[in-house]
Amino acid sequence: MADARALQARLDQQRHAFAAEPFPSAATRRERLARLASMTRHHRDEISQAIRQDFGHRAEAETRLAEVVPLLMAIRHTRRHLKRWMAPRRAAVPWRLLPGKARIHRQPLGVVGIIAPANYPWSLALMPAVDALAAGNRVMIKPSEQTPTTSALLARLVERYFAPEELHVATGDADTARDFAALPFDHLLFTGSPRVGREVARAAAANLTPVTLELGGKAPAIVAEDADLAHAARRIAFGKWLNAGRTCIAPDHVLVDAARLPAFIEAIRAVVKEFYPQGTASDDYSAVPGDASRSRLEHLLDEARDHGCRVIELGERLTLSHGTKLPPTLVVDPTANLAIMQEEVFGPWLPVIGVRDFDAALARVAEGPRPLALYAFTDDPTRRRRLLEQTRSGGMVFNDTLWHYVVPALPFGGIGESGMGAYQGETGFLRFTHQRSVFLQARRNAVGLLDPPWRRWWLRLLGL
């Protein structure tokens, strides 16, 4: 466990190393990314076992699908395009400054800090590190204290594959996280809840450290009148109950026209039975770790029941030694004032709300907080255009859920309540890069004509 002095010492070490190598070559950066890929690929069984222990239960296939594969895809994409991303960009020069030349020099920031969450403890710690290392930075990671086994494994493996001045993992409790956020990084990325995100932003502000915040939110799924209900139910069920709903871009609630609501519920029932034939006892269904998370979710459901909501549990509760398997559960037509509609569910409860029509669903989304993701099931080009033009969200997905996150070329980030800034692909490279303006004036030039004393007729002639 690192204290404030140890964290500062590590930051100083990385700053010293960065000063000695302020612009790593493309070959050096690619080699660091290759080590990151090797570390993940060669130890994926250990990663799955560590996460399973922290969660109480999680299927190995789910860990590979959600933690390992996206990271390896991102590294492969980044290594392939890195040289082009690093190249200086030419910039147009006004005719009055010719024959001067201008370009944009892409320069590493220095040392980047990453505070990772517990729900995807491997990928959400290392996906931002891919972009930061590609940009030529040194990186420090504070993994979640809620996944101690995975965090310890990450620290151990990083120490084996990287020098501490390249990449370092600082394990510790919530106090360590607060000390970490208060360090004067050149950039700080945080993934987690809006409440903690505000605390991180305040700590970073004391050092004028720029921040990227990935905060989740209530991602709506709109099922339009022309949607195929069976297809919509299948894709929503996949996105919702992957990792037992503990995904920041999971569908948080569904808006479907009221006349089709009963049919949609039956379609969800059928899909859940197909996905998890043994119910919560299925090996492919994950547990919710920790008493605090379970208690919060139980409170949301109890309040909905107390206010007369119809609650449909699609399985049995299963208590494990380190977690609880809470069943997929539908909450039908909860009112807007209930806690389940005020805060991100972040669990296996799925509010299903009947609305008048697509226009009503669109208006509801447009008037609400801006989510990290918005899902819509429709083949109508006009409806798609209206969603793109009249709503705001971090990402927009049609006729599916979640998969935009694993497209390496797409930026991933929130807006408003769901965060600020984005990373992944070239967007992530630029997030951790300073785009330095460079102007080169020729020895023989005409800019002296702009020197004082200024004559009015001359300024008019130059169009000034």
Side-chain angles (χ1 to χ4, degrees), residues 10 15 50 56-57 64 82 89 122 140 149 153 181 217 243 250 278 322 324 360 370 392 403 452:
R10 186 63 71 195
R15 283 203 185 285
H57 177 80
R64 293 195 180 193
L82 181 59
R89 298 299 196 266
W122 194 265
M140 292 175 62
T149 307
L153 176 65
N243 204 35
Q278 286 80 45
H322 291 92
T324 308
R370 296 171 178 179
R392 298 289 182 270
W403 288 114

Side-chain angles (χ1 to χ4, degrees), residues 39-41 43-52 63 67-68 122 150 153 157:
M39 182 182 80
T40 299
R41 188 183 300 110
H43 299 277
R44 57 189 178 187
D45 291 339
E46 295 172 64
I47 295 166
S48 295
Q49 292 167 10
I51 294 175
R52 188 184 186 102
T63 294
E67 305 264 13
V68 175
W122 194 265
T150 309
L153 176 65
L157 292 179

Side-chain angles (χ1 to χ4, degrees), residues 305-325:
R305 278 199 182 98
D306 291 344
H307 283 75
C309 292
R310 182 184 173 200
V311 174
I312 305 171
E313 294 187 354
L314 304 177
E316 301 294 329
R317 180 171 305 198
L318 184 60
T319 302
L320 307 172
S321 57
H322 291 92
T324 308
K325 285 193 171 185

Side-chain angles (χ1 to χ4, degrees), residues 4-305:
R5 285 180 296 182
L7 290 171
Q8 184 63 56
R10 186 63 71 195
L11 175 61
D12 292 342
Q13 181 188 30
Q14 291 206 347
R15 283 203 185 285
H16 180 75
F18 178 77
E21 189 186 20
F23 196 85
S25 66
T28 297
R29 302 183 198 192
R30 285 168 55 87
E31 191 271 335
R32 288 172 180 166
L33 293 175
R35 273 185 277 150
L36 196 63
S38 295
M39 182 182 80
T40 299
R41 188 183 300 110
H42 294 161
H43 299 277
R44 57 189 178 187
D45 291 339
E46 295 172 64
I47 295 166
S48 295
Q49 292 167 10
I51 294 175
R52 188 184 186 102
Q53 182 173 336
D54 283 329
F55 280 36
H57 177 80
R58 196 213 241 176
E60 181 181 352
E62 190 167 83
T63 294
R64 293 195 180 193
L65 182 67
E67 305 264 13
V68 175
V69 172
L71 181 64
L72 296 178
M73 289 174 61
I75 292 172
R76 185 164 54 248
H77 176 81
T78 301
R79 294 183 77 238
R80 182 180 298 133
H81 296 281
L82 181 59
K83 191 172 182 179
R84 177 175 61 84
W85 295 347
M86 289 176 61
R89 298 299 196 266
R90 294 182 61 182
V93 176
W95 66 267
R96 297 175 186 86
L97 299 181
L98 293 173
K101 298 179 180 179
R103 69 175 184 267
I104 300 169
H105 180 68
R106 295 182 165 180
Q107 186 175 39
L109 293 176
V111 181
V112 171
I114 298 168
I115 301 178
N119 58 326
Y120 291 99
W122 194 265
S123 64
L124 291 182
L126 293 179
M127 289 285 274
V130 171
D131 298 335
L133 290 171
N137 300 287
R138 311 297 169 129
V139 180
M140 292 175 62
I141 300 173
K142 169 57 181 75
S144 175
E145 62 276 8
Q146 298 174 32
T147 52
T149 307
T150 309
S151 297
L153 176 65
L154 179 62
R156 193 162 60 249
L157 292 179
V158 164
E159 189 175 4
R160 186 188 307 176
Y161 281 80
F162 291 88
E165 61 268 18
E166 291 178 309
L167 177 62
H168 174 70
V169 176
T171 59
D173 57 15
D175 290 335
T176 303
R178 280 188 284 271
D179 292 337
F180 190 93
L183 292 173
F185 291 110
D186 296 291
H187 197 101
L188 179 61
L189 183 142
F190 167 81
T191 303
S193 71
R195 177 186 62 81
V196 180
R198 288 183 173 90
E199 295 176 7
V200 169
R202 279 192 291 268
N207 299 309
L208 294 181
T209 298
V211 295
T212 297
L213 303 177
E214 305 299 348
L215 306 179
K218 297 188 70 63
I222 297 175
V223 181
E225 292 89 336
D226 66 306
D228 181 300
L229 284 184
H231 172 77
R234 189 177 190 88
R235 303 322 307 151
I236 290 171
F238 171 82
K240 180 61 181 181
W241 289 299
L242 182 78
N243 204 35
R246 299 175 68 252
T247 305
C248 58
I249 53 173
D252 180 88
H253 55 282
V254 179
L255 304 173
V256 57
D257 58 292
R260 305 179 83 196
L261 180 58
F264 179 77
I265 291 173
E266 291 309 309
I268 285 283
R269 281 185 189 272
V271 172
V272 169
K273 188 173 182 180
E274 180 185 349
F275 280 3
Y276 313 109
Q278 286 80 45
T280 51
S282 295
D283 185 68
D284 293 331
Y285 191 73
S286 290
V288 173
D291 293 336
S293 296
R294 176 184 51 78
S295 297
R296 184 189 69 85
L297 287 165
E298 288 174 343
H299 171 74
L300 296 181
L301 201 60
D302 289 344
E303 185 193 42
R305 278 199 182 98

